[in-house]
Structures are given as C-alpha cells and as structure tokens.
Amino acid sequence: MSKGYAWTVFALGFGLLLSDYMSRQVLNAVFPMLKAEWLLSDAALGSLSGIVALAVGVLTFPMSLMADRWGRVRSLLLAATLWSLATLGCAVSASYGEMFVGRLFVGIGEAAYGSVGIAVVLSIFPVTLRATLSGAFIAGGAFGSVLGVALGGAVAQAAGWRWAFAAMGIFGLVLAAVYGVVVKESRLAPHGRPSGSDDAEAHGRLRTHLPRLFSSVSVISAYVGSGLQLFIAGALLSWLPSFFNRYYHMAPAKAGGAAGAFAMIIGLGMIFGGVASDRISSTAPIRKWAVAAGCSVGALLLLTLAFQLPSGPAQLLALAVGCLLSAGSAGPAAAMVANLTPASIAATAFATLTLANSLLGLAPGPAVTGALADRFGLLGALRLVPLVAVLATLAFLVGRHWYERDLHRLADLSTKAETMHPSQVPS
C-alpha cells in the first residue's frame, strides 16, 4: 500500500470520527434551549448525553468482534449511516422521550466505529507510530466535539436547535458516501479473507486469542485507567457550554464557541500525549505508563485549582492547562492495549478499551455531573469531577508494575498458540 493511500484512509477515518462526535456533542450546545423549552433538569440533560456513551459501551464489543470476522469497511459504512440518520431523527423530536430514543440510536450507530476505525488505521502504519496515531485518531473525538458544540451553537442560535441536529446528520451521510467510494476492503487486505480450511484456522486462532483480552493485570489496568480518566474529559465536553452560559453569562453561540476552544485543547492534549509517549518511551516502552500517570496527576491538580478560582483569566488559564492534560493518557493507553493483545483481534481489543472508556468514563461522566449539579450546582459538581483522576493514577501505576513481566509471559503464550492446529484449540 502506498503512503498516500494509507494517509487518505487515515484522513477519511478521522473525518468520520469527527462526524461521530459532532453528532454526539451537538446536543451539549443546545442544552440551554432544551432545558427552557422542555423544562428539563440537569440530570435529564445529562442522561441524553450519557445514553449515547452507554450504548457505545454495551454494544461495541459484539459489533467489533463481528467486524473482525465479516469486514471492517462495511461495518464502518453501516455505522456512519445509522448514526447520521438517527441524528436527523433527533432534529424532528417532539418530546424528551423521542429525543432519548433518537440519541439511543446515535449510540447504537457509533458503537463499533472508534474501535474498528482505529484498528484499520493501526493495521496500515508502522508499530513505532502506535501511540502517536492512537492519540491523533482518538483526538478526532475532541475535535468533533469542537465542531459539534461550536457549529451547533451557531446554527441553533441562527435557525433553531433542530437545524443544528439536521446539519450534523447531513454531513455524516455525505462523508459516509465518500468513504464508501474511496476505501475498499480489498486494498486494505489485498489477498482477501481466508476461506475454507484457512477460515477454520483463523477462527480457531481467534478463539485462542480472545482470552488474552483480559489475561494480564497490565492490560486490565490500561482499560480501567483510560476509562476513569475519560470520565473527566467526558464531563468537561458535555458541561462546559452550560458552564460558560451560567457563570460567564454567554449566549448559546458564544458559549458553544468558548467550550469548543477548550474541547480543541482536550484534543490537542490527546495528540501531544501520544507523541510524548512515543518519544519518551522509544528506548523503554514502560515509560508510557509514566506519561499516562503524569497526565492524570496534572489534570487533578490543575482542574481542582481552576474550579476553586473565581471567574476570570486565572481560572480560564488553569482550566486550559487542566483540559490539555485531562485526556493525554488516551494515546499511551491505546498503545499499551495494542502491545498486550494480538493483531488478529485488534478491533475487538480496541472495542474492549472503548467499552471501558464508555462505561467508566464517557457515559457516567455527563450523567453523574448532571445529577451532582442538581444537588450542588454545576460549579460544585465540576469541583468534584477531577477527584476521579486519583483512581486513574492508581490504575496506571499498577499497570506499570506488572507490564514487563506480562509482556514476556504473553509473548510465550502467543508463540505456543501460533504453533497449535485449530483442532487442538480448546472450545
């Protein structure tokens, strides 16, 4: 495969991830409008955001496993079409219940995209770029959040909140059509899928490798640490538009633009975290854990400081640096998962990571923050959110302790599994 085509696949995959998060996060830009029109509590608003991540978490594993077996490109096209149509459905919702159902189907459509998309990208680039590409690809979520919140707020203020959803849905359908024309399964795997006895052998090896998704302390620590850390990023992405609306008295469009700028900082932090991880760990891979733990501790300190300060430049500066570090562990965590699991189940491994990110972080982050806001006020809730970084740091430190011995043990198991005939694989 040429470098040009590989980067084209990356660009289109990144574009679909933008659409994914634009459809997911446009809701946050119109929180004030929905709250006023339907008289919703913060907990109800948070549930509209959290249901998407919950659906992603519950369904990502089985859908990614199917994609590993039946074709990743077709799976990506189906996913993009479904979440775009569901976003158009949100545009015509007449009540909270209808909006909730539409958001549920957005989550169903997005369920396997992140894990399958990153598996496609990592399969066509060198291993030495794993953390950088993982961080950059995952950062597409933050950049999509920027566009979803900023553009959604502007469109909503100009034409109403329904057109904000409609614009995101139409963009996703157009991009899915382009992806289907340009990206072909045959060009990603020129020799095609195995058939006959080769397919049986591949299935046998798949069954052999699946237990390795949870077979080591270090890979479980990567799942848990990544998910807990994204609790903070998920809460910030969902509630910063409302924070600026309530405490800086900004109109929805301006609040969306301000929150979009901070979402961009979160995305840049994902990229910088991946780049720093690859550079620092070039001679000692175990240093990836130190980068992840350092991002967690830095986010804890700076975000705690930010939400204790009064509104003004000092608060915004502390918030900006805290946002930069809040998701910096995403790239290193994804790279560690890739190192600790076989390439034959890459999409399923990243689905497991997505499951952890969703169920531990992106789903409960917005919902729990909304519930806390109903009780303590939004500012009080945001003061509690950074404390989750304490648990994330502990998980990364545990993973670092076990990492090298797990790598050696799993390498031995992989060698034995590759020499087994499918008939010898336990069912």
Side-chain angles (χ1 to χ4, degrees):
M1 182 185 302
S2 69
K3 288 184 179 180
Y5 186 72
W7 283 109
T8 299
V9 172
F10 175 84
L12 289 174
F14 187 85
L16 279 180
L17 193 64
L18 290 179
S19 169
D20 179 330
Y21 276 81
M22 288 168 69
S23 295
R24 184 185 301 198
Q25 301 294 346
V26 64
L27 171 76
N28 304 324
V30 301
F31 267 1
M33 296 180 179
L34 292 178
K35 186 178 181 70
E37 183 171 333
W38 290 342
L39 303 178
L40 300 178
S41 66
D42 285 339
L45 290 172
S47 69
L48 287 175
S49 183
I51 187 59
V52 177
L54 181 61
V56 170
V58 170
L59 297 175
T60 188
F61 188 89
M63 288 189 173
S64 298
L65 182 59
M66 289 165 49
D68 271 333
R69 295 292 311 281
W70 296 335
R72 294 172 180 173
V73 172
R74 282 177 293 180
S75 299
L76 296 181
L77 289 175
L78 177 62
T81 302
L82 180 55
W83 82 58
S84 299
L85 291 175
T87 303
L88 289 175
C90 292
V92 297
S93 298
S95 66
Y96 171 81
E98 291 181 10
M99 175 70 77
F100 190 88
V101 172
R103 296 290 292 174
L104 173 63
F105 277 93
V106 170
I108 293 173
E110 294 179 359
Y113 183 76
S115 57
V116 178
I118 196 171
V120 169
V121 168
L122 294 187
S123 71
I124 59 177
F125 284 94
V127 173
T128 53
L129 292 176
R130 274 182 172 170
T132 299
L133 288 170
S134 297
F137 191 83
I138 296 171
F143 297 143
S145 299
V146 172
L147 295 173
V149 171
L151 294 180
V155 172
Q157 186 164 314
W161 62 264
R162 296 184 185 279
W163 278 105
F165 284 100
M168 304 307 160
I170 293 170
F171 174 72
L173 289 175
V174 171
L175 195 58
V178 175
Y179 190 92
V181 170
V182 175
V183 182
K184 302 296 181 182
E185 198 89 51
S186 58
R187 294 195 67 179
L188 299 180
H191 298 293
R193 296 176 63 251
S195 59
S197 60
D198 290 337
D199 186 64
E201 182 178 354
H203 181 51
R205 290 183 178 180
L206 182 63
R207 287 187 297 161
T208 301
H209 288 314
L210 279 177
R212 285 185 55 186
L213 291 172
F214 302 98
S215 64
S216 67
V217 174
S218 50
V219 75
I220 293 173
S221 297
Y223 296 144
V224 172
S226 178
L228 290 174
Q229 190 62 29
L230 286 181
F231 181 103
I232 300 171
L236 293 173
L237 290 171
S238 293
W239 287 103
L240 281 180
S242 294
F243 172 76
F244 288 119
N245 175 258
R246 297 182 194 182
Y247 298 100
Y248 284 80
H249 310 292
M250 296 181 181
K254 189 173 181 180
F262 282 87
M264 178 74 76
I265 292 173
I266 292 174
L268 290 174
M270 291 179 178
I271 296 176
F272 292 154
V275 172
S277 174
D278 278 338
R279 293 190 176 225
I280 293 172
S281 64
S282 59
T283 57
I286 197 171
R287 293 175 184 168
K288 284 183 172 65
W289 295 96
V291 173
C295 289
S296 295
V297 172
L300 168 65
L301 297 176
L302 287 162
L303 291 175
T304 299
L305 173 64
F307 292 118
Q308 292 294 333
L309 291 171
S311 300
Q315 182 185 59
L316 296 178
L317 178 59
L319 180 60
V321 183
C323 285
L324 186 71
L325 297 174
S326 65
S329 60
M336 289 181 285
V337 169
N339 291 344
L340 290 161
T341 52
S344 61
I345 54 168
T348 308
F350 287 116
T352 308
L353 180 61
T354 301
L355 175 67
N357 288 343
S358 297
L359 296 187
L360 296 178
L362 297 177
V368 170
T369 304
L372 291 172
D374 282 335
R375 184 169 183 180
F376 303 110
L378 182 55
L379 183 59
L382 291 173
R383 287 172 176 169
L384 296 174
V385 165
L387 296 176
V388 178
V390 174
L391 299 177
T393 302
L394 290 175
F396 288 133
L397 293 177
V398 170
R400 183 186 184 281
H401 178 74
W402 288 90
Y403 183 61
E404 290 186 334
R405 71 189 75 180
D406 283 341
L407 276 181
H408 290 305
R409 181 173 62 84
L410 294 174
D412 292 339
L413 289 175
S414 180
T415 301
K416 292 178 182 178
E418 292 297 328
T419 60
M420 293 174 67
H421 188 273
S423 62
Q424 298 174 284
V425 177
S427 60

